Amino acid sequence: MPSTMPAYRTRAERFDDLVLDAVERIERTWARQLDGTEFAVEDVPPSDPAPWEHGGVPLGRYFPPDAGLPARILVYRRPVEARATDPADLADLVRDVVVEQVAHLLGRAPEDVDPGYGDAH
């Protein structure tokens, strides 16, 4: 759609929508446990990996609550987009990244958080 049209959405805005869709899907089951959790999108991860990250570029990160700050889940747009083969794959990959990070937060397996985890890949 041309950028002059009212319904035009940038690639970043469309990605944000995919993250919001994934969060809404998970919140249907886990709303109480996710209360107060912040979800955000950043273009790329910082250049210094977390101590537990080995081999590769992270697609997302979970930050536990700390010093009065709420738990946060980040999804890194460009690495996720780079791995997706088409728009449907992108939506599935975004959902899987969000599910994985929520699983870290909840201390559960991703399949427990979303029984459809990984099905589309």
Side-chain angles (χ1 to χ4, degrees), residues 58-71:
L59 304 180
R61 279 193 181 146
Y62 158 63
F63 295 92
D66 184 39
L69 296 173

Side-chain angles (χ1 to χ4, degrees), residues 12-90:
E13 289 170 331
R14 290 190 306 267
F15 189 90
D16 291 348
D17 291 342
L18 292 174
V19 172
L20 288 173
D21 290 346
V23 171
E24 288 173 1
R25 177 183 168 135
I26 293 170
E27 282 184 333
R28 290 181 202 140
T29 305
W30 303 97
R32 187 175 57 78
Q33 293 87 338
L34 296 175
D35 187 40
T37 302
E38 294 180 353
F39 292 85
V41 173
E42 290 187 7
D43 281 342
V44 295
S47 59
D48 58 329
W52 60 88
E53 294 171 335
H54 304 286
V57 176
L59 304 180
R61 279 193 181 146
Y62 158 63
F63 295 92
D66 184 39
L69 296 173
R72 291 182 354 169
I73 291 176
L74 295 177
V75 179
Y76 298 115
R77 182 175 63 87
R78 289 187 183 198
V80 173
E81 287 176 336
R83 294 220 178 132
T85 57
D86 58 42
D89 188 44
L90 179 62

